[in-house]
Amino acid sequence: MTAVVAQLEDYLPILILFGVVAAFATLSLVASSFIRPHRPSRPKAEPYESGIEVDPVRKAQRFPVKFYIVAMLFIVFDIETIFLFPWAVTFQQLGIFGLLEMAVFIGLVFVAYVYIWKKGGLDWSEEERRRGIRFAREEERERAGHAPATDGGTTGEVARAR
């Protein structure tokens, strides 16, 4: 019994830290509800997301997911950084195997980053986005066997038949 108590005694600082964190979070929320200014207005009540004023979206209209994609990219690269910290602590014990394994991991994430960069996932300007969409449509037409519509609107088969 005393051995169990001695082992649990090592966790006492962690339990105290959890208690302090819970108390701080609770007190912060309660204090902010009393201290904050409460002046509702119509503009404050309207929806607003990531710098874009939200318009009602028709069912046939596509919803831009640019900000969500960038958020997912941030999470992926953030998780990569999280995996680098334990590796940095134990890389001497892992030896060459750990070095090669981390090189493969970073290489795969880098390939994903380059792929997203080439697809225009990191382009923020409207002009770049439109250029990327136009480029993707032209690639799709070429895969389908059609030439780009630069010859007066005729398709590739008609232009080749001339």
Side-chain angles (χ1 to χ4, degrees):
M1 182 73 171
T2 59
V4 173
V5 172
Q7 286 179 347
L8 291 177
E9 202 172 82
D10 294 337
Y11 293 103
L12 184 63
I14 296 172
L15 292 175
I16 292 172
L17 178 65
F18 281 141
V20 168
V21 167
F24 178 76
T26 304
L27 290 174
S28 296
L29 290 173
V30 169
S32 68
S33 67
F34 288 121
I35 296 173
R36 71 173 182 219
H38 187 69
R39 293 184 286 270
S41 65
R42 184 177 174 107
K44 288 180 184 178
E46 291 182 8
Y48 180 81
E49 182 176 336
S50 302
I52 297 175
E53 290 188 27
V54 180
D55 295 328
V57 179
R58 297 186 308 266
K59 289 190 178 194
Q61 184 182 6
R62 298 179 86 184
F63 183 79
V65 294
K66 178 74 173 176
F67 295 106
Y68 301 110
I69 291 173
V70 171
M72 287 188 288
L73 288 174
F74 174 77
I75 290 170
V76 166
F77 291 110
D78 197 36
I79 289 173
E80 177 190 11
T81 305
I82 290 170
F83 282 132
L84 284 174
F85 281 119
W87 174 79
V89 170
T90 62
F91 79 98
Q92 288 182 339
Q93 290 87 8
L94 296 174
I96 194 75
F97 172 74
L99 179 65
L100 293 176
E101 191 169 342
M102 188 53 68
V104 168
F105 176 71
I106 291 173
L108 289 173
V109 172
F110 182 73
V111 167
Y113 174 74
V114 170
Y115 172 79
I116 291 165
W117 184 20
K118 293 292 183 183
K119 287 291 186 177
L122 302 175
D123 295 330
W124 283 95
S125 69
E126 192 68 24
E127 179 181 324
E128 289 290 328
R129 188 179 69 79
R130 288 185 181 146
R131 186 181 311 145
I133 292 171
R134 195 173 359 176
F135 180 71
R137 286 181 183 157
E138 288 174 4
E139 279 185 345
E140 192 174 305
R141 278 192 213 118
E142 287 175 7
R143 275 191 242 123
H146 300 290
T150 57
D151 54 352
T154 60
T155 62
E157 290 85 20
V158 175
R160 279 187 227 115
R162 290 185 188 164

